[in-house]
Amino acid sequence: MTYELYYWTGIQGRGEYVRLALEAAGASYRDVAREEGDGVIAAMSKRVATPSFAPPFLKDGDLVVGQVAAILLYLGDKLDLAPKDERLRLWAHQIQLTIADFVLEGHDVHHPIGAGQYYEDQQPESLRRAREFRDERVPKFLDWFETILRRNPDGDAHLVGKGLSYADLSLFQAMSGLRYAFPNLMERLGPGYGRINALCAVTGELPRIKAYLKSDRRLPPNESDLFRHYPELDP
């Protein structure tokens, strides 16, 4: 059966974390709004008994599930992108929720006052938020990811267990956004995180992911996305 992904057109956004899982598994899916326009998202939300608060959401037959971490928890078993062991499945979910926290903090650098206001209307606050994000928050998150890679009993090639999981794909995506938004910061910090760098390099070379990254299905990052590059925030 073909999965249906509902997410805004024009940006990678949170939908990209789901796309990467579907692409890595070679799953059949439709990116519905890209085919029919953004209006289909609201139309579908009005029809289902369990509407998602916001996209992305995934439709699989009669099932509709929203929130990136919940979607990936569901797809992990379906696409063989999560360990079979219940404890490790929960651990992968915990990592995914932490990645979601990290991504939200990256977004709030350029929108610290409110998501409904323009960046230009909150730039002084963004400058302050960016300083803390660069100096305190990014190292704290990256230290944690590096640590759990080092402590993985099955080796440091993956975040969970012996094989590729959706958590690996999501960390790859978060790091891609971070490098786009904060290239100067990552030039300084990046070399200190060898395990993260190795995971991202291997993930980017997976045949299906490599093909996806080169395709027109992979939109380029831009200043409407979660991670945005404003030079003044990355001195």
Side-chain angles (χ1 to χ4, degrees):
M1 185 175 292
T2 298
Y3 296 102
E4 294 181 2
L5 173 64
Y6 291 78
Y7 193 69
W8 307 119
T9 59
I11 59 172
Q12 295 177 13
R14 291 178 176 85
E16 197 70 6
Y17 295 87
V18 182
R19 288 189 196 99
L20 285 171
L22 294 165
E23 292 282 349
S28 175
Y29 76 98
R30 293 178 57 214
D31 212 331
V32 182
R34 290 188 183 176
E35 297 177 11
E36 302 180 22
D38 285 342
V40 73
I41 296 172
M44 174 59 71
S45 296
K46 291 177 180 177
R47 293 201 299 268
V48 299
T50 57
S52 179
F53 178 77
F57 55 88
L58 184 83
K59 188 173 186 294
D60 180 17
D62 294 332
L63 176 73
V64 178
V65 57
Q67 290 286 357
V68 171
I71 295 169
L72 293 176
L73 180 65
Y74 174 72
L75 288 176
D77 286 339
K78 293 276 189 176
L79 303 181
D80 196 25
L81 287 174
K84 301 302 181 185
D85 179 82
E86 183 178 7
R87 181 183 61 85
L88 292 180
R89 287 203 307 272
L90 184 60
W91 176 225
H93 184 54
Q94 180 181 333
I95 294 169
Q96 186 65 43
L97 290 168
T98 304
I99 292 172
D101 290 342
F102 188 26
V103 172
L104 180 61
E105 290 199 26
H107 168 273
D108 287 353
V109 166
H110 51 78
H111 277 74
I113 301 299
Q117 300 181 33
Y118 291 109
Y119 164 68
E120 290 75 15
D121 297 329
Q122 47 195 314
Q123 192 168 350
E125 293 83 2
S126 293
L127 290 168
R128 293 177 59 192
R129 185 68 176 264
R131 187 180 309 114
E132 181 189 19
F133 186 68
R134 294 192 313 266
D135 295 346
E136 303 293 337
R137 303 304 292 168
V138 171
K140 187 169 184 176
F141 276 104
L142 296 189
D143 285 348
W144 187 75
F145 292 125
E146 189 79 3
T147 295
I148 63 174
L149 281 165
R150 176 172 53 83
R151 293 184 186 176
N152 183 356
D154 292 311
D156 62 3
H158 298 287
L159 288 164
V160 183
K162 298 178 181 178
L164 180 73
S165 72
Y166 63 78
D168 295 327
L169 295 163
S170 291
L171 182 57
F172 168 82
Q173 175 63 12
M175 293 301 295
S176 296
L178 193 63
R179 292 189 184 101
Y180 172 76
F182 296 94
N184 293 330
L185 173 67
M186 293 312 297
E187 185 175 358
R188 297 191 298 269
L189 284 184
Y193 296 97
R195 292 176 177 85
I196 296 174
N197 293 335
L199 182 151
C200 291
V202 169
T203 301
E205 289 297 316
L206 294 171
R208 288 172 177 157
I209 295 298
K210 187 174 183 179
Y212 170 65
L213 296 177
K214 292 181 178 180
S215 75
D216 57 7
R217 300 189 304 282
R218 171 74 166 190
L219 299 179
N222 60 59
E223 274 55 68
S224 295
D225 217 322
L226 296 170
F227 284 99
R228 305 180 187 183
H229 178 59
Y230 296 114
E232 62 273 17
L233 303 183
D234 181 43

Tab-separated table of all heavy atoms in Angstrom, residues 32-81:
chain	number	residue	atom	x	y	z
A	32	VAL	N	1.552	14.328	-0.856
A	32	VAL	CA	0.260	14.699	-1.423
A	32	VAL	C	0.154	16.187	-1.740
A	32	VAL	O	-0.329	16.579	-2.812
A	32	VAL	CB	-0.885	14.267	-0.480
A	32	VAL	CG1	-2.228	14.623	-1.094
A	32	VAL	CG2	-0.816	12.764	-0.208
A	33	ALA	N	0.599	17.063	-0.836
A	33	ALA	CA	0.481	18.497	-1.077
A	33	ALA	C	1.328	18.937	-2.268
A	33	ALA	O	0.954	19.870	-2.986
A	33	ALA	CB	0.865	19.290	0.175
A	34	ARG	N	2.447	18.279	-2.500
A	34	ARG	CA	3.265	18.630	-3.662
A	34	ARG	C	2.555	18.258	-4.961
A	34	ARG	O	2.848	18.832	-6.009
A	34	ARG	CB	4.631	17.948	-3.580
A	34	ARG	CG	5.526	18.517	-2.481
A	34	ARG	CD	6.927	17.958	-2.560
A	34	ARG	NE	7.763	18.443	-1.465
A	34	ARG	CZ	9.007	18.055	-1.253
A	34	ARG	NH1	9.568	17.171	-2.066
A	34	ARG	NH2	9.695	18.539	-0.238
A	35	GLU	N	1.637	17.321	-4.886
A	35	GLU	CA	0.863	16.938	-6.062
A	35	GLU	C	-0.395	17.791	-6.216
A	35	GLU	O	-0.775	18.130	-7.339
A	35	GLU	CB	0.463	15.463	-5.971
A	35	GLU	CG	1.628	14.494	-5.963
A	35	GLU	CD	1.159	13.048	-5.799
A	35	GLU	OE1	-0.063	12.812	-5.902
A	35	GLU	OE2	2.019	12.176	-5.575
A	36	GLU	N	-1.036	18.111	-5.090
A	36	GLU	CA	-2.358	18.725	-5.155
A	36	GLU	C	-2.435	20.114	-4.545
A	36	GLU	O	-3.493	20.756	-4.640
A	36	GLU	CB	-3.366	17.807	-4.440
A	36	GLU	CG	-3.438	16.409	-5.034
A	36	GLU	CD	-4.436	15.515	-4.308
A	36	GLU	OE1	-5.353	16.059	-3.639
A	36	GLU	OE2	-4.310	14.277	-4.398
A	37	GLY	N	-1.363	20.584	-3.936
A	37	GLY	CA	-1.375	21.911	-3.326
A	37	GLY	C	-1.619	21.854	-1.827
A	37	GLY	O	-2.189	20.884	-1.302
A	38	ASP	N	-1.216	22.919	-1.129
A	38	ASP	CA	-1.302	22.938	0.331
A	38	ASP	C	-2.728	22.834	0.861
A	38	ASP	O	-2.949	22.403	1.996
A	38	ASP	CB	-0.651	24.216	0.876
A	38	ASP	CG	0.867	24.163	0.824
A	38	ASP	OD1	1.423	23.059	0.705
A	38	ASP	OD2	1.505	25.244	0.914
A	39	GLY	N	-3.702	23.221	0.067
A	39	GLY	CA	-5.079	23.170	0.525
A	39	GLY	C	-5.555	21.782	0.889
A	39	GLY	O	-6.491	21.626	1.695
A	40	VAL	N	-4.904	20.756	0.358
A	40	VAL	CA	-5.316	19.384	0.642
A	40	VAL	C	-5.074	19.019	2.101
A	40	VAL	O	-5.731	18.132	2.653
A	40	VAL	CB	-4.584	18.408	-0.308
A	40	VAL	CG1	-3.116	18.261	0.064
A	40	VAL	CG2	-5.258	17.050	-0.328
A	41	ILE	N	-4.145	19.725	2.750
A	41	ILE	CA	-3.831	19.434	4.157
A	41	ILE	C	-5.026	19.768	5.043
A	41	ILE	O	-5.476	18.950	5.859
A	41	ILE	CB	-2.578	20.215	4.599
A	41	ILE	CG1	-1.357	19.742	3.789
A	41	ILE	CG2	-2.335	20.051	6.096
A	41	ILE	CD1	-0.109	20.588	4.009
A	42	ALA	N	-5.569	20.969	4.894
A	42	ALA	CA	-6.734	21.359	5.685
A	42	ALA	C	-7.948	20.515	5.328
A	42	ALA	O	-8.738	20.134	6.205
A	42	ALA	CB	-7.034	22.841	5.476
A	43	ALA	N	-8.091	20.192	4.055
A	43	ALA	CA	-9.238	19.390	3.623
A	43	ALA	C	-9.215	18.011	4.274
A	43	ALA	O	-10.246	17.512	4.751
A	43	ALA	CB	-9.242	19.266	2.101
A	44	MET	N	-8.041	17.378	4.306
A	44	MET	CA	-7.929	16.072	4.942
A	44	MET	C	-8.153	16.176	6.443
A	44	MET	O	-8.814	15.331	7.055
A	44	MET	CB	-6.557	15.461	4.647
A	44	MET	CG	-6.285	14.152	5.382
A	44	MET	SD	-7.488	12.844	5.013
A	44	MET	CE	-7.025	12.450	3.335
A	45	SER	N	-7.631	17.229	7.061
A	45	SER	CA	-7.787	17.400	8.505
A	45	SER	C	-9.250	17.513	8.912
A	45	SER	O	-9.645	17.095	10.006
A	45	SER	CB	-7.015	18.647	8.971
A	45	SER	OG	-5.632	18.490	8.767
A	46	LYS	N	-10.072	18.072	8.032
A	46	LYS	CA	-11.498	18.216	8.338
A	46	LYS	C	-12.256	16.902	8.225
A	46	LYS	O	-13.355	16.768	8.767
A	46	LYS	CB	-12.119	19.249	7.397
A	46	LYS	CG	-11.650	20.677	7.635
A	46	LYS	CD	-12.264	21.631	6.614
A	46	LYS	CE	-11.795	23.054	6.846
A	46	LYS	NZ	-12.331	23.990	5.828
A	47	ARG	N	-11.658	15.930	7.542
A	47	ARG	CA	-12.388	14.691	7.275
A	47	ARG	C	-12.111	13.587	8.287
A	47	ARG	O	-12.892	12.645	8.387
A	47	ARG	CB	-12.036	14.171	5.872
A	47	ARG	CG	-12.526	15.039	4.740
A	47	ARG	CD	-12.612	14.244	3.439
A	47	ARG	NE	-11.336	13.706	3.014
A	47	ARG	CZ	-10.504	14.329	2.189
A	47	ARG	NH1	-10.810	15.551	1.731
A	47	ARG	NH2	-9.375	13.774	1.816
A	48	VAL	N	-10.995	13.677	9.010
A	48	VAL	CA	-10.595	12.547	9.843
A	48	VAL	C	-11.005	12.777	11.294
A	48	VAL	O	-11.109	13.908	11.766
A	48	VAL	CB	-9.070	12.298	9.746
A	48	VAL	CG1	-8.686	11.981	8.310
A	48	VAL	CG2	-8.283	13.475	10.262
A	49	ALA	N	-11.230	11.672	12.001
A	49	ALA	CA	-11.642	11.753	13.407
A	49	ALA	C	-10.476	12.074	14.323
A	49	ALA	O	-10.671	12.540	15.451
A	49	ALA	CB	-12.282	10.431	13.834
A	50	THR	N	-9.252	11.833	13.853
A	50	THR	CA	-8.052	12.076	14.670
A	50	THR	C	-7.130	13.050	13.952
A	50	THR	O	-6.030	12.680	13.530
A	50	THR	CB	-7.317	10.754	14.956
A	50	THR	OG1	-6.989	10.126	13.686
A	50	THR	CG2	-8.168	9.817	15.784
A	51	PRO	N	-7.548	14.310	13.791
A	51	PRO	CA	-6.725	15.265	13.054
A	51	PRO	C	-5.456	15.622	13.816
A	51	PRO	O	-5.461	15.740	15.043
A	51	PRO	CB	-7.640	16.488	12.918
A	51	PRO	CG	-8.542	16.402	14.106
A	51	PRO	CD	-8.784	14.931	14.322
A	52	SER	N	-4.386	15.784	13.074
A	52	SER	CA	-3.128	16.241	13.664
A	52	SER	C	-3.222	17.734	13.956
A	52	SER	O	-3.871	18.483	13.215
A	52	SER	CB	-1.981	15.970	12.690
A	52	SER	OG	-0.754	16.410	13.219
A	53	PHE	N	-2.580	18.185	15.029
A	53	PHE	CA	-2.570	19.608	15.349
A	53	PHE	C	-1.956	20.417	14.204
A	53	PHE	O	-2.413	21.510	13.877
A	53	PHE	CB	-1.783	19.853	16.644
A	53	PHE	CG	-1.673	21.297	17.017
A	53	PHE	CD1	-2.745	21.977	17.583
A	53	PHE	CD2	-0.492	22.003	16.801
A	53	PHE	CE1	-2.651	23.311	17.917
A	53	PHE	CE2	-0.384	23.341	17.129
A	53	PHE	CZ	-1.468	24.001	17.691
A	54	ALA	N	-0.916	19.858	13.594
A	54	ALA	CA	-0.242	20.508	12.468
A	54	ALA	C	0.444	19.429	11.647
A	54	ALA	O	0.730	18.342	12.157
A	54	ALA	CB	0.776	21.532	12.968
A	55	PRO	N	0.708	19.696	10.374
A	55	PRO	CA	1.467	18.727	9.595
A	55	PRO	C	2.928	18.696	10.077
A	55	PRO	O	3.374	19.650	10.706
A	55	PRO	CB	1.350	19.266	8.165
A	55	PRO	CG	1.048	20.713	8.312
A	55	PRO	CD	0.302	20.864	9.588
A	56	PRO	N	3.614	17.581	9.819
A	56	PRO	CA	3.220	16.495	8.937
A	56	PRO	C	2.280	15.501	9.610
A	56	PRO	O	2.285	15.342	10.819
A	56	PRO	CB	4.553	15.824	8.611
A	56	PRO	CG	5.377	16.025	9.841
A	56	PRO	CD	5.001	17.402	10.329
A	57	PHE	N	1.484	14.848	8.761
A	57	PHE	CA	0.803	13.640	9.199
A	57	PHE	C	0.833	12.638	8.061
A	57	PHE	O	1.030	13.000	6.894
A	57	PHE	CB	-0.620	13.919	9.711
A	57	PHE	CG	-1.531	14.643	8.766
A	57	PHE	CD1	-2.297	13.949	7.844
A	57	PHE	CD2	-1.647	16.020	8.823
A	57	PHE	CE1	-3.171	14.626	6.988
A	57	PHE	CE2	-2.513	16.708	7.979
A	57	PHE	CZ	-3.277	16.009	7.060
A	58	LEU	N	0.690	11.404	8.441
A	58	LEU	CA	0.833	10.289	7.503
A	58	LEU	C	-0.455	9.489	7.485
A	58	LEU	O	-1.030	9.197	8.548
A	58	LEU	CB	1.992	9.387	7.939
A	58	LEU	CG	2.327	8.217	7.006
A	58	LEU	CD1	3.232	8.699	5.876
A	58	LEU	CD2	3.005	7.087	7.790
A	59	LYS	N	-0.907	9.138	6.303
A	59	LYS	CA	-2.085	8.287	6.149
A	59	LYS	C	-1.643	6.938	5.614
A	59	LYS	O	-0.952	6.851	4.596
A	59	LYS	CB	-3.082	8.935	5.192
A	59	LYS	CG	-4.425	8.218	5.118
A	59	LYS	CD	-5.424	9.026	4.282
A	59	LYS	CE	-6.812	8.382	4.319
A	59	LYS	NZ	-6.834	7.058	3.646
A	60	ASP	N	-2.025	5.901	6.334
A	60	ASP	CA	-1.732	4.535	5.918
A	60	ASP	C	-3.042	3.764	5.965
A	60	ASP	O	-3.471	3.297	7.022
A	60	ASP	CB	-0.697	3.908	6.855
A	60	ASP	CG	-0.355	2.472	6.451
A	60	ASP	OD1	-0.651	2.083	5.303
A	60	ASP	OD2	0.214	1.741	7.293
A	61	GLY	N	-3.704	3.680	4.826
A	61	GLY	CA	-5.028	3.085	4.810
A	61	GLY	C	-5.999	3.936	5.607
A	61	GLY	O	-6.154	5.137	5.341
A	62	ASP	N	-6.639	3.349	6.616
A	62	ASP	CA	-7.579	4.090	7.446
A	62	ASP	C	-6.904	4.799	8.618
A	62	ASP	O	-7.553	5.570	9.327
A	62	ASP	CB	-8.647	3.143	8.005
A	62	ASP	CG	-9.542	2.576	6.905
A	62	ASP	OD1	-9.709	3.270	5.883
A	62	ASP	OD2	-10.044	1.449	7.075
A	63	LEU	N	-5.620	4.547	8.824
A	63	LEU	CA	-4.903	5.135	9.946
A	63	LEU	C	-4.303	6.471	9.556
A	63	LEU	O	-3.676	6.600	8.497
A	63	LEU	CB	-3.784	4.197	10.416
A	63	LEU	CG	-2.884	4.735	11.520
A	63	LEU	CD1	-3.629	4.754	12.849
A	63	LEU	CD2	-1.614	3.896	11.642
A	64	VAL	N	-4.493	7.481	10.415
A	64	VAL	CA	-3.845	8.779	10.232
A	64	VAL	C	-3.092	9.096	11.516
A	64	VAL	O	-3.672	9.097	12.602
A	64	VAL	CB	-4.870	9.900	9.929
A	64	VAL	CG1	-4.162	11.241	9.798
A	64	VAL	CG2	-5.639	9.579	8.656
A	65	VAL	N	-1.794	9.350	11.387
A	65	VAL	CA	-0.968	9.637	12.565
A	65	VAL	C	-0.164	10.904	12.310
A	65	VAL	O	0.376	11.113	11.217
A	65	VAL	CB	-0.047	8.448	12.910
A	65	VAL	CG1	0.845	8.073	11.742
A	65	VAL	CG2	0.796	8.754	14.147
A	66	GLY	N	-0.110	11.779	13.303
A	66	GLY	CA	0.639	13.027	13.206
A	66	GLY	C	1.763	13.074	14.221
A	66	GLY	O	1.914	12.167	15.046
A	67	GLN	N	2.528	14.147	14.154
A	67	GLN	CA	3.718	14.383	14.981
A	67	GLN	C	4.857	13.492	14.484
A	67	GLN	O	4.729	12.268	14.410
A	67	GLN	CB	3.473	14.155	16.472
A	67	GLN	CG	2.578	15.191	17.116
A	67	GLN	CD	3.280	16.535	17.326
A	67	GLN	OE1	4.465	16.713	17.047
A	67	GLN	NE2	2.536	17.518	17.838
A	68	VAL	N	5.996	14.127	14.177
A	68	VAL	CA	7.115	13.405	13.569
A	68	VAL	C	7.517	12.185	14.388
A	68	VAL	O	7.676	11.083	13.852
A	68	VAL	CB	8.324	14.350	13.387
A	68	VAL	CG1	9.568	13.564	12.974
A	68	VAL	CG2	8.015	15.411	12.340
A	69	ALA	N	7.695	12.367	15.684
A	69	ALA	CA	8.168	11.247	16.509
A	69	ALA	C	7.162	10.104	16.509
A	69	ALA	O	7.547	8.928	16.491
A	69	ALA	CB	8.451	11.720	17.929
A	70	ALA	N	5.873	10.413	16.536
A	70	ALA	CA	4.849	9.364	16.514
A	70	ALA	C	4.807	8.682	15.153
A	70	ALA	O	4.638	7.454	15.070
A	70	ALA	CB	3.486	9.953	16.866
A	71	ILE	N	4.936	9.451	14.088
A	71	ILE	CA	4.954	8.864	12.741
A	71	ILE	C	6.123	7.892	12.609
A	71	ILE	O	5.983	6.775	12.106
A	71	ILE	CB	5.054	9.965	11.671
A	71	ILE	CG1	3.801	10.849	11.684
A	71	ILE	CG2	5.238	9.343	10.289
A	71	ILE	CD1	3.928	12.103	10.838
A	72	LEU	N	7.295	8.317	13.083
A	72	LEU	CA	8.482	7.471	12.954
A	72	LEU	C	8.420	6.269	13.885
A	72	LEU	O	8.936	5.197	13.552
A	72	LEU	CB	9.740	8.306	13.198
A	72	LEU	CG	10.005	9.370	12.130
A	72	LEU	CD1	11.214	10.218	12.497
A	72	LEU	CD2	10.199	8.742	10.751
A	73	LEU	N	7.808	6.435	15.043
A	73	LEU	CA	7.595	5.283	15.920
A	73	LEU	C	6.742	4.240	15.202
A	73	LEU	O	7.008	3.033	15.272
A	73	LEU	CB	6.917	5.737	17.214
A	73	LEU	CG	6.608	4.652	18.247
A	73	LEU	CD1	7.891	4.037	18.792
A	73	LEU	CD2	5.764	5.229	19.384
A	74	TYR	N	5.723	4.706	14.486
A	74	TYR	CA	4.859	3.808	13.726
A	74	TYR	C	5.611	3.180	12.550
A	74	TYR	O	5.546	1.961	12.330
A	74	TYR	CB	3.635	4.569	13.230
A	74	TYR	CG	2.741	3.778	12.311
A	74	TYR	CD1	1.951	2.745	12.800
A	74	TYR	CD2	2.693	4.064	10.944
A	74	TYR	CE1	1.130	2.009	11.948
A	74	TYR	CE2	1.882	3.338	10.095
A	74	TYR	CZ	1.097	2.313	10.603
A	74	TYR	OH	0.292	1.584	9.764
A	75	LEU	N	6.337	3.995	11.805
A	75	LEU	CA	7.027	3.495	10.623
A	75	LEU	C	8.239	2.632	10.955
A	75	LEU	O	8.678	1.835	10.121
A	75	LEU	CB	7.474	4.664	9.742
A	75	LEU	CG	6.390	5.413	8.980
A	75	LEU	CD1	7.001	6.592	8.227
A	75	LEU	CD2	5.648	4.490	8.016
A	76	GLY	N	8.797	2.817	12.146
A	76	GLY	CA	10.000	2.073	12.502
A	76	GLY	C	9.834	0.579	12.322
A	76	GLY	O	10.693	-0.092	11.719
A	77	ASP	N	8.745	0.027	12.840
A	77	ASP	CA	8.478	-1.400	12.668
A	77	ASP	C	8.104	-1.735	11.229
A	77	ASP	O	8.553	-2.733	10.674
A	77	ASP	CB	7.343	-1.841	13.600
A	77	ASP	CG	7.786	-1.931	15.052
A	77	ASP	OD1	8.999	-2.051	15.291
A	77	ASP	OD2	6.916	-1.873	15.939
A	78	LYS	N	7.283	-0.888	10.634
A	78	LYS	CA	6.797	-1.154	9.275
A	78	LYS	C	7.942	-1.198	8.256
A	78	LYS	O	7.917	-1.999	7.307
A	78	LYS	CB	5.813	-0.058	8.866
A	78	LYS	CG	4.504	-0.042	9.644
A	78	LYS	CD	3.526	-1.016	9.031
A	78	LYS	CE	2.152	-0.873	9.637
A	78	LYS	NZ	1.164	-1.761	8.987
A	79	LEU	N	8.919	-0.316	8.440
A	79	LEU	CA	9.975	-0.160	7.447
A	79	LEU	C	11.300	-0.776	7.881
A	79	LEU	O	12.318	-0.590	7.205
A	79	LEU	CB	10.190	1.336	7.157
A	79	LEU	CG	8.965	2.123	6.682
A	79	LEU	CD1	9.348	3.573	6.407
A	79	LEU	CD2	8.343	1.487	5.447
A	80	ASP	N	11.288	-1.492	8.997
A	80	ASP	CA	12.509	-2.103	9.537
A	80	ASP	C	13.567	-1.036	9.825
A	80	ASP	O	14.743	-1.206	9.519
A	80	ASP	CB	13.061	-3.164	8.570
A	80	ASP	CG	14.073	-4.086	9.250
A	80	ASP	OD1	14.007	-4.234	10.484
A	80	ASP	OD2	14.934	-4.644	8.537
A	81	LEU	N	13.126	0.064	10.416
A	81	LEU	CA	14.033	1.152	10.774
A	81	LEU	C	14.050	1.384	12.287
A	81	LEU	O	14.344	2.485	12.749
A	81	LEU	CB	13.624	2.445	10.058
A	81	LEU	CG	13.930	2.496	8.559
A	81	LEU	CD1	13.337	3.756	7.939
A	81	LEU	CD2	15.445	2.432	8.303
